[in-house]
Amino acid sequence: MNIVILAAGQGKRMKSALPKVLQTLAGKPLLQYVLDTALSLQGKQSKTGPIVVVGHGAVDVKDFLLNLSKEDSRFAKVTTALQAEQKGTGHALLQALSKLDVQEPTLVLYGDVPLTSKDTLSKLLKLADGVRGQDAALALLTQNLTNPTGYGRIVRDTDGSVAAIVEEKDATSAQKSIQEINTGIMVLPTNALKRWLKALRASNAQGEYYLTDVIAMAVKDGVPIRTTQATHEFETVGVNSRDQLAALERAHQLHIATQLMAAGVSLSDPARIDVRGTLECGTDVFIDVGCIFEGDVSLAAGTKIGPYCVIRNSVLGKDVIVNAYSHIDGAKVGNQSIIGPYARLRPGADLANDVHIGNFVEVKNSKIAANSKANHLAYVGDSIVGSRVNIGAGTITCNYDGVNKHQTIIEDDVFIGSDTQLVAPVRVGRGATLGAGTTLTKDAPANQLTVSRARQVSLQWQRPVKQVKKPVAKKAVAKKVLVKKAVVKKTVKGKK
Ligand code: UD1
Ligand code: CA
């Protein structure tokens, strides 16, 4: 099938330098949602990809599409058609006409209606496909709204069949009371569409070529018109302003929360979670308020996430406890591990089972084996840490010499005393103990105590006594101030 995405409009009400279709919902540009759905509908085998009609901000939108296709080859199939002047939705579709395959139906989508599901669109395509052969139907996605203000209304005959779509600005007061609205999304027989688009006239309140006028033409030509509605109202909501974008974001997040709960996840408040990507959860996962999940995150069964955590592109095992305000990015966390509060796992942090990472501990590009602990105020970077290691408070791996990064290896059963610096590259042998305050610049042998601090001494000593200053007479103080002022005046004059 042909898929055309209309995305040339200005989006004035956004009051933004960014074209409207590039505004983000759950961290992803609106247009990308529509493209993802379009590509999944067309399938990998399809030779043609979606056609995006660009106009306002065309350079930015094309740049965005180019970057997308570099990141993901699926998007390489997307092409654009330029609508240099925005003269309405019918005029926009006209610009893509030469690219359409007349043997296939055409699905029209909107760049500012991001959340229409694949299921809903498949249903719509089936409706249009109902009669095989020359008499393909026109399928229209409509929606019943308690407040239909601003939308085109679906006008039906007494027998219930669709007669026309009337835009708000052209509607009579009787038509304005119609609650069934045009979502804008439709499937049309392409051959007839060509004819209809060329016959459009801009004789309406907005002086635009309305795509919606093809409905009355289809009725006249005896083309059957069928309608269906989306499962969820948010699927057909368009974004014109920032408050609509925020409202759609909440609706989208609430839908994700509902799906998570249906899959066996406990949320302490379904209105206070944000998933900006995909979140996979095992059963009995618990998520407290204010957490943000970005990219691809998976939490295995029984894992508990405390309040206000940010977790991005990470895999957490079973029965993990992440305490409040922890930040986990590009990390792997083994079963039964305990993270935070206030912990930071950075890309390449790879923790085995039952690892404890406590408050103000940062781990980057490091493997930590089972049953090891760094519970307070430490930095573990570019390291390999064995099992049953205890990293004391304030321990720092000095991995960076200002130019290059170096590795620290800490073998099994090591005990590192508090406030130790391990100047990499360096190795701590199995079972070694490092005394508190050690600055380790050479490898520490296994099973020995290594200490590098100065020996403690105690001396007889007299603490200095504060000298008492003589009180200064009041008059003298006043004089001093006067003298100072005079000096200031002089220098100012001198400057002139
Ligand atoms: C349109 C429909 C209306 C429907 C509503 C649903 C028409 C005439 N009206 O109205 O019946 O209820 O959508 O949201 O079709 N665009 C272009 N070029 C243009 C004009 C628009 O590409 O010259 C694109 C916009 O970028 C946008 C889409 O078409 O993605 C819809 O345009 P918009 O101006 O928002 O139409 P509405 O007035 O909302
Ligand atoms: Ca709109």
Side-chain angles (χ1 to χ4, degrees), residues 54-194:
V54 296
H56 187 82
V59 175
D60 293 338
V61 177
K62 280 184 171 175
D63 266 1
F64 164 74
L65 292 173
L66 191 70
N67 284 333
L68 263 188
S69 63
K70 278 181 197 160
E71 279 168 28
D72 185 340
S73 60
R74 282 186 313 136
F75 292 98
K77 272 195 278 187
V78 179
T79 59
T80 59
L82 181 69
Q83 185 194 25
E85 256 185 286
Q86 284 75 61
K87 296 186 196 167
T89 47
H91 182 256
L93 190 53
L94 197 61
Q95 312 310 309
L97 213 57
S98 62
K99 298 194 171 198
L100 303 181
D101 177 354
V102 289
Q103 306 301 321
E104 296 283 326
T106 298
L107 167 64
V108 179
L109 299 174
Y110 288 59
D112 62 353
V113 182
L115 296 181
T116 324
S117 72
K118 189 184 173 187
D119 284 355
T120 295
L121 293 173
S122 300
K123 198 165 71 175
L124 192 71
L125 283 159
K126 256 205 188 126
L127 264 190
D129 206 27
V131 195
R132 281 229 163 264
Q134 70 274 64
D135 261 41
L138 193 158
L140 208 55
L141 191 67
T142 72
Q143 189 71 44
N144 279 67
L145 295 180
T146 38
N147 178 13
T149 312
Y151 288 96
R153 309 295 207 282
I154 307 294
V155 180
R156 289 183 184 265
D157 277 338
T158 40
D159 66 353
S161 61
V162 175
I165 295 176
V166 179
E167 289 304 297
E168 166 104 12
K169 286 185 177 143
D170 304 293
T172 63
S173 56
Q175 286 168 335
K176 277 184 187 157
S177 69
I178 299 171
Q179 288 186 315
E180 189 185 7
I181 63 100
N182 169 35
T183 66
I185 293 163
M186 53 182 98
V187 181
L188 308 112
T190 305
N191 239 332
L193 175 65
K194 284 199 161 179

Side-chain angles (χ1 to χ4, degrees), residues 38-341:
L39 285 165
S40 76
L41 277 169
Q42 282 179 320
K44 276 188 191 145
Q45 322 79 271
S46 168
K47 269 175 273 156
T48 53
I51 304 156
V52 183
V53 179
V54 296
H56 187 82
V59 175
D60 293 338
V61 177
K62 280 184 171 175
D63 266 1
F64 164 74
L65 292 173
L66 191 70
N67 284 333
L68 263 188
S69 63
K70 278 181 197 160
E71 279 168 28
D72 185 340
S73 60
R74 282 186 313 136
F75 292 98
K77 272 195 278 187
V78 179
T79 59
T80 59
L82 181 69
Q83 185 194 25
E85 256 185 286
Q86 284 75 61
K87 296 186 196 167
T89 47
H91 182 256
L93 190 53
L94 197 61
Q95 312 310 309
L97 213 57
S98 62
K99 298 194 171 198
L100 303 181
D101 177 354
V102 289
Q103 306 301 321
E104 296 283 326
T106 298
L107 167 64
V108 179
L109 299 174
Y110 288 59
D112 62 353
V113 182
L115 296 181
T116 324
S117 72
K118 189 184 173 187
D119 284 355
T120 295
L121 293 173
S122 300
K123 198 165 71 175
L124 192 71
L125 283 159
K126 256 205 188 126
L127 264 190
D129 206 27
V131 195
R132 281 229 163 264
Q134 70 274 64
D135 261 41
L138 193 158
L140 208 55
L141 191 67
T142 72
Q143 189 71 44
N144 279 67
L145 295 180
T146 38
N147 178 13
T149 312
Y151 288 96
R153 309 295 207 282
I154 307 294
V155 180
R156 289 183 184 265
D157 277 338
T158 40
D159 66 353
S161 61
V162 175
I165 295 176
V166 179
E167 289 304 297
E168 166 104 12
K169 286 185 177 143
D170 304 293
T172 63
S173 56
Q175 286 168 335
K176 277 184 187 157
S177 69
I178 299 171
Q179 288 186 315
E180 189 185 7
I181 63 100
N182 169 35
T183 66
I185 293 163
M186 53 182 98
V187 181
L188 308 112
T190 305
N191 239 332
L193 175 65
K194 284 199 161 179
R195 203 167 60 235
W196 297 333
L197 284 181
K198 284 173 185 159
L200 284 180
R201 294 292 169 264
S203 50
N204 50 54
Q206 304 188 79
E208 287 185 355
Y209 296 89
Y210 289 167
L211 173 59
T212 44
D213 285 351
V214 305
I215 306 302
M217 295 180 186
V219 173
K220 227 171 145 195
D221 286 0
V223 172
I225 299 174
R226 305 197 182 99
T227 65
T228 184
Q229 303 210 339
T231 320
H232 306 283
E233 194 178 303
F234 65 74
E235 290 186 49
T236 58
V237 171
V239 172
N240 298 306
S241 57
R242 294 196 196 245
D243 65 324
Q244 284 175 346
L245 183 60
L248 190 58
E249 174 86 42
R250 283 354 295 165
H252 177 53
Q253 293 298 345
L254 197 58
H255 180 62
I256 294 172
T258 309
Q259 285 178 320
L260 285 170
M261 292 186 292
V265 176
S266 277
L267 301 177
S268 47
D269 183 355
R272 283 186 286 171
I273 176 172
D274 283 83
V275 181
R276 300 170 187 161
T278 57
L279 173 60
E280 253 180 64
C281 291
T283 50
D284 295 310
V285 161
F286 169 81
I287 300 170
D288 214 325
V289 299
C291 293
I292 298 177
F293 299 90
E294 296 178 335
D296 297 323
V297 174
S298 89
L299 311 175
T303 283
K304 293 184 169 44
I305 311 293
Y308 303 104
C309 293
V310 178
I311 305 183
R312 179 187 304 137
N313 295 324
S314 294
V315 178
L316 277 61
K318 284 185 198 165
D319 300 313
V320 169
I321 295 174
V322 179
N323 290 306
Y325 300 104
S326 293
H327 197 283
I328 301 179
D329 181 6
K332 253 169 81 179
V333 178
N335 303 337
Q336 278 97 33
S337 287
I338 302 174
I339 312 296

